[in-house]
Amino acid sequence: MSCDKPYGVTSVNNLCAELLARSLDQGCEEPRVAALLMTMRPVRFVHEVDINPKVLAALRKALQMSLGDCPFPTQTQRLSLGCPVLNSWLKGGLPTLGVIEIAGESASGKTQICLQLSLSVQYPPAYGGLGAGVVYVCTEDAFPARRLHQLISSQPQVRVDVPSDVITTIPFGNQVYVEHVADVDSLWRCITHRLPLLIARRSVRLVVIDSVAALFRCEFSCSMAARKAKLLQNFGNLLHQISHKHNSPIVCVNQVTCRMDDIGGGPTSICLASQRIIPSLGTAWSNMLLMRLLASREEVKAILDTEHNPQCAVEHSNCTFTLQTQRTLEVLFAPHLPHSLCHYVIKAEGVYGVRESDNTDIARV
């Protein structure tokens, strides 16, 4: 094995699975290798097979878990998105460990989702929250305080699953800590000094950065790509340390750029948003993420008279159409979810997922 490139968790698990599969074959010598992994000291093993000590330690742990010597680490707690449809689509909500990205075009609803998460996190764990506040870091525009108060006033109507006496006891407005930063240095000071202090006091369990791309895309030119990549890696490592130390999810908003390879085809072709746009900041930042969601927005034709003429919903002939805004949230990658998408709408009360059965009378322009 070569130790020139780093190995991720997936690579280690694949190596371990391959090792165990081969060990079942009595004609192979992999059982001896498995015995070495379980018994030899890392230094001696590195000397004999030339493998990185950190990779060896991770491989030994994976092998022990596969053999049942120690249990697999599980994470059952999820952060609710405040909507049963979106929660069901994401298998309970967002993980509470790691860096989660919400990328998307302008006006696709990224900030609206983050505001709703800022309220959901304040609910008790029994209702999908974490019972704590949120640090909301703004890097582009001023914090939408008026919209937040509108969402707060709508909580009794939106969260019908929560008793009214529980909602009235939650000080929603007092647990949202807003920070405005204008450059990368200010963001770094906020993350390294103010944020650990708030989380250490257990008054904060969610961090939202809206957005990461705004600062890094403005301050670094194309000739400074190597330095930007290094800073992004350091920034991502710091966020992961904070998240795992305090069991707090980190949600980062990202911008997008158009694809230049024409995968999506012409304007009338049916394609996913990920086939025409890609998140910004490149591979250096993408490798720092646990989960990536892509929000998109497009104008579509909606059929109006399917009730009187059901056949037109199939043939799209002699039908009355109207233009509607269709928003889509797409899972680009996640360790526990397949690639999938869910449509959603933004109302005065908040963000709501749309069930597939309610979205049949829509055709793309």
Side-chain angles (χ1 to χ4, degrees):
M1 296 182 184
S2 174
C3 55
D4 293 334
K5 61 179 182 178
Y7 286 82
V9 176
T10 303
S11 300
V12 171
N13 287 338
N14 290 340
L15 289 172
C16 182
E18 182 180 356
L19 179 64
L20 291 175
R22 292 184 180 182
S23 66
L24 298 178
D25 187 355
Q26 299 299 326
C28 296
E29 296 185 357
E30 272 70 16
R32 292 196 303 147
V33 180
L36 287 174
L37 283 171
M38 301 300 296
T39 60
M40 279 193 170
R41 300 184 61 182
V43 175
R44 182 181 172 190
F45 192 86
V46 168
H47 178 72
E48 294 195 6
V49 300
D50 190 23
I51 189 173
N52 189 291
K54 293 183 179 180
V55 176
L56 172 64
L59 185 57
R60 290 182 62 183
K61 185 174 182 180
L63 182 59
Q64 289 173 342
M65 290 188 294
S66 299
L67 295 176
D69 293 340
C70 63
F72 281 91
T74 58
Q75 183 188 157
T76 58
Q77 191 175 21
R78 294 285 188 268
L79 173 59
S80 170
L81 274 77
C83 169
V85 176
L86 294 176
N87 287 337
S88 175
W89 172 59
L90 294 177
K91 302 296 187 265
L94 299 181
T96 58
L97 288 178
V99 181
I100 302 163
E101 180 190 87
I102 302 177
E105 303 164 298
S106 177
S108 60
K110 306 184 297 294
T111 299
Q112 300 295 324
I113 296 174
C114 291
L115 290 176
Q116 189 154 301
L117 285 172
S118 301
L119 300 182
S120 296
V121 72
Q122 301 183 45
Y123 283 92
Y127 302 104
L130 301 178
V134 54
V135 172
Y136 203 107
V137 182
C138 298
T139 65
E140 297 186 57
D141 302 320
F143 180 77
R146 181 177 298 181
R147 175 58 174 161
L148 179 67
H149 288 297
Q150 184 182 26
L151 294 176
I152 292 175
S153 62
S154 303
Q155 289 303 294
Q157 293 77 34
V158 175
R159 297 300 302 267
V160 294
D161 58 316
V162 184
S164 57
D165 57 336
V166 174
I167 297 179
T168 55
T169 58
I170 301 176
F172 289 105
N174 296 333
Q175 296 190 100
V176 180
Y177 305 93
V178 181
E179 181 78 12
H180 289 88
V181 297
D183 51 51
V184 174
D185 292 336
S186 299
L187 177 62
W188 186 264
R189 287 194 297 270
C190 175
I191 299 299
T192 55
H193 293 85
R194 299 190 182 188
L195 184 59
L197 181 61
L198 285 172
I199 296 182
R201 295 170 56 187
R202 305 302 295 177
S203 58
V204 168
R205 288 288 304 279
L206 173 66
V207 180
V208 177
I209 303 177
D210 187 4
S211 68
V212 176
L215 299 180
F216 284 92
R217 295 181 80 178
C218 293
E219 294 192 27
F220 296 92
S221 61
C222 295
S223 61
M224 306 169 67
R227 183 186 173 194
K228 183 178 74 171
K230 183 63 176 178
L231 284 177
L232 283 171
Q233 290 177 347
N234 294 336
F235 182 65
N237 286 330
L238 178 60
L239 293 180
H240 271 288
Q241 292 175 11
I242 295 175
S243 175
H244 284 76
K245 181 178 180 180
H246 302 284
N247 194 25
S248 302
I250 312 290
V251 177
C252 296
V253 175
N254 194 4
Q255 300 171 356
V256 295
T257 184
C258 293
R259 299 185 68 106
M260 305 302 293
D261 47 9
D262 295 330
I263 293 181
T268 59
S269 64
I270 298 177
C271 62
L272 300 175
S274 57
Q275 294 177 330
R276 58 184 175 84
I277 56 176
I278 56 175
S280 302
L281 301 181
T283 308
W285 171 249
S286 177
N287 290 335
M288 297 290 104
L289 303 176
L290 172 73
M291 181 177 180
R292 169 172 274 175
L293 304 177
L294 180 64
S296 61
R297 175 180 182 268
E298 62 179 338
E299 298 297 322
V300 296
K301 287 181 179 179
I303 304 172
L304 292 181
D305 56 353
T306 55
E307 181 178 354
H308 299 90
N309 188 8
Q311 189 65 23
C312 77
V314 179
E315 299 177 353
H316 296 327
S317 60
N318 299 323
C319 299
T320 303
F321 291 92
T322 183
L323 286 179
Q324 289 186 358
T325 299
Q326 185 183 62
R327 289 181 168 87
T328 304
L329 200 59
E330 185 178 349
V331 175
L332 295 188
F333 62 77
H336 61 296
L337 295 173
H339 179 270
S340 59
L341 58 86
C342 179
H343 299 294
Y344 66 98
V345 295
I346 299 176
K347 299 182 179 180
E349 298 82 12
V351 180
Y352 295 89
V354 178
R355 299 186 186 278
E356 199 64 31
S357 58
D358 300 331
N359 202 43
T360 56
D361 298 335
I362 291 180
R364 282 181 172 82
V365 175

